[in-house]
Amino acid sequence: MKKTVKDIDVKGKHVIVRCDFNVPLEDGMITDDIRILSALPTIKYLIDAGAKIILLSHLGRPKGEAKKEFSLQPVADRLSELLEGNITFAQSPEVIDDNVKASVAGMKEGEVILLENIRFRKEETDNDPEFSKQLAELGEIFVNDAFGTAHRAHSSTAGIADYLPAVSGFLIEKEIKFLGNTVADPARPFVAIMGGSKVADKIPVVKSLLTKVDILIIGGGMAYTFLKAKGYEIGASILDDKSIELAASLMKEADSLGVKMLLPVDVVCASEFSNEAAVGVYDADKIPKELMALDIGPATSALYADEIAKAETVVWNGPVGVFEMENYKQGTLAVAKALAEAKAVTVIGGGDSAAAVAQFGLAEKMTHISTGGGASLEYLEGKQLPGIACLMDI
Ligand code: ADP
Ligand code: MG
């Protein structure tokens, strides 16, 4: 168990909070502010508790340079609306300079200051100890609430904790509870659904989940490497050549562990990666050479939905088809609906899976939707995340 903001006295103290304000932008406008909203409980708690709050975040990949298009200004504006003006944007291309230090020194209880994009400094991603120390000198307590970057050992996510007492915010607390505890001690049957396109990244997660789940469902781009490993023709479907052997050994391992592994039994195929292409449903072992499978078929959807309905715990990472296109969204919709209707604890990790659930209007029906893509994967894989490992234990 990690200490949270509730386990430490923050009144009158300068508290440095690492948030994940890495929001999607289009023409300088925020298109989805869920990450900002998710940070509010911790910020508001600290305001009410009389802390002096210094917010840090990255935005995009400015690669150590102060680039205008990566400024946190849009985030500052949105936060200002949400906090009714109680926030100052200490805008410096160097992130920390004498003016910033003076502003911080002059803060009153309940005041909030946002610093500029922490990745304007290349020392950040280098986890440079000197820079970590400079950051730490701005405050007396470090709070990490940036789950999305908790798998990175950077100055503002982990290095800073070498110099300050470090605790989690409410968002990280919630992620630990649902991703960590659910997987560590699941109500059974425990079903995991793995899909998406980052096959090489996700196969290690499949391996780790095998020792924990009762049923492992494979869909999306992942599935075709497994079908190939079974010796099926997969046509022009997405394939990770290097993982075929591993896929084969995972299927064997599943067998010996008594884990039921489900692969698509039918698939929706198209002549090209386009919503305009001609489509047809084929048995999974009869994918025509010239076609690519872009979704699971109706029989597979029914089979998966049936297992989900019987589950007590479901973890889902990765859409089972190209849900962004109308013709290939049915499988992902069926899985999302099955989760929405399930009696199980339902946990969703992965940016695109979360986007799919939101697009279908089913987000409210899930127990927990993780805010971290890569971080949630690594957490599910059972890895120690530097941004969590550095926090004080209870
Ligand atoms: P997440 O963000 O949920 O972890 P990924 O990033 O791994 O998921 O993958 C999401 C992408 O996978 C989606 O954009 C989707 O279109 C794609 N995808 C799903 N099934 C297939 C498929 N059969 N062929 C190609 N791409 C697919
Ligand atoms: Mg993704």
Side-chain angles (χ1 to χ4, degrees):
M1 286 272 281
K2 293 296 180 183
K3 284 195 180 175
T4 77
V5 278
K6 286 201 167 159
D7 300 312
I8 195 160
D9 182 17
V10 297
K11 186 162 169 58
K13 304 254 175 71
H14 282 94
V15 178
I16 302 169
V17 187
R18 176 56 155 99
C19 299
D20 178 5
F21 294 142
N22 186 26
V23 290
L25 290 173
E26 250 169 54
D27 300 325
M29 303 287 281
I30 298 171
T31 54
D32 181 353
D33 64 356
I34 182 72
R35 290 189 161 167
I36 300 177
L37 299 177
S38 305
L40 288 180
T42 300
I43 298 170
K44 286 187 169 162
Y45 171 84
L46 290 169
I47 293 173
D48 291 344
K52 302 169 182 174
I53 303 135
I54 302 140
L55 303 177
L56 305 178
S57 177
H58 77 288
L59 175 65
R61 292 170 191 247
K63 306 222 166 105
E65 277 175 55
K67 294 188 188 137
K68 200 161 173 270
E69 68 270 32
F70 293 108
S71 170
L72 281 174
Q73 183 71 57
V75 172
D77 294 343
R78 183 73 184 114
L79 272 172
S80 180
E81 289 166 18
L82 293 163
L83 297 174
E84 290 162 357
N86 176 25
I87 179 160
T88 310
F89 184 32
Q91 196 174 21
S92 159
E94 271 134 60
V95 185
I96 308 177
D97 61 17
D98 288 343
N99 283 336
V100 171
K101 284 183 197 166
S103 307
V104 167
M107 287 174 88
K108 299 193 182 68
E109 291 187 5
E111 240 185 87
V112 185
I113 285 186
L114 170 69
L115 303 199
E116 187 48 287
N117 189 340
I118 194 85
R119 288 196 191 162
F120 280 5
R121 295 286 292 265
K122 75 167 181 25
E123 299 98 316
E124 160 69 0
T125 49
D126 293 342
N127 195 12
D128 178 78
E130 189 49 44
F131 184 56
S132 303
K133 193 158 163 253
Q134 274 180 38
L135 284 175
E137 281 165 358
L138 292 173
E140 292 141 279
I141 294 169
F142 172 61
V143 175
N144 193 8
D145 214 19
F147 185 72
T149 48
H151 59 317
R152 306 277 182 229
H154 294 166
S155 281
S156 73
T157 63
I160 185 173
D162 288 344
Y163 306 96
L164 290 177
V167 298
S168 78
F170 297 126
L171 181 61
I172 285 204
E173 182 190 29
K174 194 164 157 229
E175 296 278 7
I176 292 176
K177 178 170 167 217
F178 284 109
L179 284 176
N181 303 2
T182 305
V183 174
D185 186 20
R188 294 181 185 277
F190 178 12
V191 175
I193 307 153
M194 293 294 298
S197 56
K198 289 181 240 148
V199 185
D201 282 2
K202 294 192 176 186
I203 282 200
V205 186
V206 170
K207 188 173 166 57
S208 152
L209 285 173
L210 266 184
T211 58
K212 303 179 178 112
V213 300
D214 303 298
I215 295 163
L216 188 58
I217 294 177
I218 308 274
M222 296 270 303
Y224 307 99
T225 301
F226 284 86
L227 292 178
K228 178 87 181 175
K230 280 181 83 162
Y232 292 3
E233 170 66 54
I234 60 161
S237 310
I238 189 170
L239 170 70
D240 182 40
D241 256 328
K242 294 191 197 77
S243 301
I244 300 173
E245 268 178 48
L246 182 55
S249 76
L250 291 178
M251 287 190 284
K252 268 198 205 133
E253 198 177 327
D255 249 359
S256 63
L257 289 167
V259 171
K260 190 155 134 193
M261 198 191 261
L262 297 180
L263 294 171
V265 292
D266 63 344
V267 289
V268 178
C269 292
S271 51
E272 56 181 308
F273 192 82
S274 151
N275 201 44
E276 268 44 78
V279 296
V281 175
Y282 297 86
D283 287 344
D285 58 352
K286 295 190 183 65
I287 298 175
K289 239 194 173 79
E290 66 285 2
L291 301 187
M292 58 181 77
L294 296 179
D295 195 9
I296 57 173
T300 308
S301 289
L303 182 73
Y304 291 3
D306 198 41
E307 292 297 346
I308 293 165
K310 289 186 277 187
E312 292 291 340
T313 305
V314 185
V315 170
W316 179 22
N317 181 286
V320 295
V322 184
F323 73 96
E324 297 93 336
M325 294 188 217
E326 192 60 30
N327 287 342
Y328 319 112
K329 76 167 194 199
Q330 288 307 325
T332 303
L333 178 60
V335 168
K337 274 188 175 158
L339 259 78
E341 286 160 15
K343 58 182 184 295
V345 170
T346 50
V347 177
I348 292 160
D352 293 289
S353 325
V357 168
Q359 182 186 309
F360 301 144
L362 296 171
E364 298 297 313
K365 307 261 189 206
M366 308 299 169
T367 311
H368 178 66
I369 300 181
S370 176
T371 52
S376 67
L377 265 189
E378 292 198 15
Y379 209 55
L380 287 175
E381 207 181 319
K383 283 192 185 159
Q384 284 255 24
L385 308 191
I388 293 179
C390 71
L391 307 178
M392 294 187 295
D393 291 306
I394 281 181

